[in-house]
Amino acid sequence: MTDIFNYGTDHLTIGTCLDIASGKTKGIINEDAARMINNSWREVEKIVHSHHPVYGINTGFGPLCDTRISEADTSLLQSNILKSHSVGVGKPIPQEIAKLMMITKVHALAQGYSGIALSTLERIIWHIDNDIIPLVPEKGSVGASGDLAPLSHLFLPLIGLGEVFENDERVRAGDVLNRYGLQPLSLGPKEGLALINGTQFILSFAIKAVQRLDDALNRADLIGAMSLEGLMGSIRPFDERLHNIRPFKGTRMVAHRLFTLLDGSEINSSHINCDRVQDPYSLRCMPQVHGASRNAWLHLKELTEIELNSVTDNPVIFNADDTISGGNFHGQPLALPLDYATVAAAEIGNIADRRCYLMSEGRYGLPKLLTHDAGLNSGLMIPQYTTAALVTENKTLCFPASADSVPTSLGQEDHVSMGSISGRKLHQVIDNIEYIQAIELLYAAQAMDFRRPLRSTPVIEACHELVRQHVAFIQDDRVFADDINSLHKLITDGLLLQTAGKATIAHQIDLSHDEFGIY
């Protein structure tokens, strides 16, 4: 049975939002939300008939806020704003992101402060339920009056304009409406402005980033543990006593995960009394580095969930005599943590690259470049060039977009967040991390094979076996791009984490932590 979420009245979490997008949960408007929506719509009608000037209802927009609009033209004003603000350029954003934009917008508007018509929200829900996803260009928002351009493109189909994806095919919105026997909507006063004011573009990239970065962080611990085994590193630096006297949440969690993943390993037990005093930082400082990135992830998650349940419209309608033209649409509260998370994500790639380099050096009993016949074979020399290139690209993406501001709207919008760029850059960094982790997995599995017949723990061995099902042990040089792409698919399909998860369940191993979940 499909779970039900009540827009406007229930508390929306990141996990629930993703479940609505995937079809596991159905979002509806219940009687309580419908009453709030209708009450707010009636208050806007009162404003129109009273002729009292309220921004965006009977005035122009932005620098035209002092231009009065006649009662007869208030509806035309709202359709005009959708058309004139649809100025996005570039490739379409992923359909899942566009769908998340609709879901989060419905939840914000259904709280009853925006003057939207119930029928308009029902039409948006129709798009969500039927996977008729508007085409939204990726560029054009400065993240200040909300995400004006992308939200305008998102809702052009409501008035029969723009394009949509239907079964992954681009089609004209008007043609789809005709096929389903639906008419374009005639927007009422305030509706166009309510639809395009808000942070749902930034927010939807943040939602998906929380999920993707969570996966990347979980993989970082798992693959890092495999690398440590291949390098015969110590698990002593993961002793909880060490981290209880510097108790950052992320650090403590990573230390617990690494110690639990490695405790009882034959490989580890074989060198407990060796003469190595300490390991390089990329091994023994995994709790501190991975953990710091987890703290940044937690910060992003917490602020994203606040925004998920917020009203980011302008003006906000409390009643016909009490409206506030404020700045809840400004993207700065998400732009800053998105930039912070971008740096945190890049660091996961930086330390992984160092472990790849360490495994290729020929130290700690491993052959140079992880091959028996170095010279005739280059072995795993060049994949680390790729990680070096990717981590450097990530560094160039770490410049905080939120540190910049270009005034717009003839100076009316004189400080903007650029949070839309922050959100997109974070995903570019995560894209690169997925390839870096695929390459580290290639190195780690190869290094572990040089420790045979010694074996690691059940979770680590399950992951190593998965790798070997798709990528053979490297005897001689071959086209390593094929291996990297195979392992990258294991990562992006979620199979690596699924395999680790099944092994933890089978062996009753607990790696979870409530604060770091997305549901």
Side-chain angles (χ1 to χ4, degrees):
M1 182 178 294
T2 304
D3 291 332
I4 296 296
F5 176 81
N6 296 294
Y7 288 117
T9 58
D10 288 349
H11 181 82
L12 185 56
T13 67
I14 292 168
T16 301
C17 201
L18 292 165
D19 281 350
I20 296 172
S22 68
K24 294 177 185 174
T25 296
K26 180 175 174 57
I28 65 169
I29 293 175
N30 63 18
E31 290 183 6
D32 290 339
R35 183 169 56 255
M36 295 188 299
I37 293 162
N38 287 327
N39 286 343
S40 183
W41 179 80
R42 282 191 287 269
E43 294 301 309
V44 169
E45 288 290 310
K46 291 178 187 176
I47 292 170
V48 172
H49 297 313
S50 73
H51 302 291
H52 176 70
V54 175
Y55 174 75
I57 296 177
N58 49 24
T59 77
F61 306 113
L64 303 174
C65 59
D66 295 324
T67 303
R68 293 295 297 273
I69 305 298
S70 69
E71 183 174 339
D73 287 335
T74 53
S75 181
L76 178 61
L77 176 71
Q78 301 305 315
S79 59
N80 279 348
I81 194 175
L82 282 188
K83 291 184 278 189
S84 67
H85 287 51
S86 294
V87 294
V89 297
K91 297 180 296 185
I93 63 173
Q95 292 181 54
E96 184 182 13
I97 299 289
K99 195 171 186 181
L100 290 170
M101 288 175 69
M102 290 191 288
I103 292 164
T104 54
K105 175 58 82 172
V106 170
H107 187 53
L109 296 178
Q111 295 178 50
Y113 295 96
S114 300
I116 197 87
L118 179 60
S119 57
T120 302
L121 292 184
E122 289 172 341
R123 175 64 63 84
I124 300 171
I125 293 171
W126 176 85
H127 277 272
I128 296 168
D129 290 347
N130 290 278
D131 272 323
I132 309 295
I133 310 300
L135 185 151
V136 178
E138 64 180 349
K139 300 177 184 180
S141 172
V142 295
S145 274
D147 295 305
L148 296 175
L151 284 168
S152 297
H153 283 278
L154 186 73
F155 294 121
L156 274 179
L158 297 181
I159 59 174
L161 301 177
E163 293 181 278
V164 297
F165 288 101
E166 184 183 26
N167 298 322
D168 294 327
E169 194 175 319
R170 284 175 67 161
V171 290
R172 296 174 65 85
D175 293 341
V176 172
L177 294 181
N178 287 336
R179 199 177 324 122
Y180 282 88
L182 298 172
Q183 293 297 315
L185 299 180
S186 178
L187 299 178
K190 176 69 166 58
E191 288 201 275
L193 185 62
L195 289 168
I196 72 169
N197 257 325
T199 60
Q200 283 75 34
F201 182 87
I202 302 172
L203 175 58
S204 297
F205 274 96
I207 291 165
K208 192 62 183 174
V210 168
Q211 182 191 45
R212 293 186 70 201
L213 185 52
D214 183 42
D215 287 347
L217 289 163
N218 288 332
R219 288 191 303 268
D221 298 341
L222 184 62
I223 301 170
M226 292 177 68
S227 296
L228 183 136
E229 288 284 70
L231 287 158
M232 284 195 162
S234 173
I235 68 170
R236 287 273 292 165
F238 314 142
D239 188 315
E240 68 176 353
R241 294 174 299 168
L242 182 65
H243 303 287
N244 286 340
I245 57 176
R246 196 192 188 202
F248 289 106
K249 290 179 181 177
T251 302
R252 292 177 67 191
M253 181 193 182
V254 172
H256 167 74
R257 284 169 58 84
L258 289 169
F259 192 91
T260 304
L261 280 168
L262 295 164
D263 189 29
S265 160
E266 287 182 6
I267 298 173
N268 181 260
S269 299
S270 72
H271 60 88
I272 285 178
N273 297 315
C274 70
D275 58 2
R276 272 165 66 182
V277 176
Q278 58 185 20
D279 296 323
Y281 287 2
S282 61
L283 298 180
R284 65 181 157 108
C285 294
M286 281 192 281
Q288 290 80 4
V289 178
H290 294 188
S293 293
R294 281 189 179 272
N295 288 334
W297 175 90
L298 184 60
H299 185 58
L300 176 63
K301 181 201 122 175
E302 289 173 345
L303 297 188
T304 297
E305 193 158 311
I306 291 172
E307 191 79 335
L308 266 177
N309 294 283
S310 297
V311 174
T312 55
D313 189 10
N314 181 62
V316 170
I317 312 298
F318 292 101
N319 60 60
D321 300 315
D322 189 5
T323 66
I324 298 178
S325 194
N328 274 10
F329 49 64
H330 202 293
Q332 197 79 352
L334 282 185
L336 291 178
L338 282 166
D339 283 332
Y340 175 25
T342 300
V343 175
E347 280 302 300
I348 292 300
N350 289 349
I351 195 170
D353 165 72
R354 292 297 81 209
R355 289 191 292 264
C356 292
Y357 187 89
L358 196 59
M359 283 182 277
S360 69
E361 281 188 305
R363 299 170 69 185
Y364 312 130
L366 291 174
K368 188 176 292 186
L369 302 173
L370 293 175
T371 183
H372 284 302
D373 193 9
L376 176 62
N377 292 295
S378 293
L380 290 180
M381 179 196 301
I382 303 300
Q384 190 267 325
Y385 283 44
T386 303
T387 63
L390 293 172
V391 299
T392 299
E393 182 174 308
N394 281 351
K395 290 169 191 173
T396 69
L397 292 167
C398 281
F399 179 85
S402 58
D404 193 18
S405 176
V406 178
T408 57
S409 195
L410 304 184
Q412 180 76 1
E413 297 162 12
D414 55 356
H415 180 279
V416 299
S417 77
M418 300 298 181
S420 62
I421 301 169
S422 304
R424 289 193 298 108
K425 286 199 301 100
L426 174 52
H427 283 270
Q428 290 176 267
V429 170
I430 296 172
D431 288 343
N432 287 339
I433 288 171
E434 289 169 348
Y435 278 108
I436 293 167
Q437 290 183 327
I439 293 170
E440 186 185 1
L441 192 55
L442 180 68
Y443 278 73
Q446 184 79 357
M448 282 183 63
D449 279 329
F450 286 109
R451 305 308 183 185
R452 297 306 187 208
L454 297 174
R455 298 184 65 80
S456 185
T457 58
V459 176
I460 300 298
E461 288 295 338
C463 293
H464 182 274
E465 182 181 347
L466 175 70
V467 171
R468 286 292 168 253
Q469 288 170 5
H470 296 266
V471 172
F473 176 78
I474 300 165
Q475 295 282 5
D476 300 301
D477 284 352
R478 60 193 190 219
V479 180
F480 292 125
D482 295 339
D483 297 330
I484 293 167
N485 287 328
S486 293
L487 296 178
H488 180 259
K489 193 171 190 301
L490 295 184
I491 282 171
T492 55
D493 286 353
L495 194 54
L496 181 68
L497 289 180
Q498 289 170 23
T499 298
K502 289 176 182 176
T504 61
I505 293 170
H507 295 274
Q508 298 182 322
I509 298 169
D510 183 14
L511 298 175
S512 64
H513 196 293
D514 289 343
E515 289 175 297
F516 290 87
I518 63 172
Y519 284 87

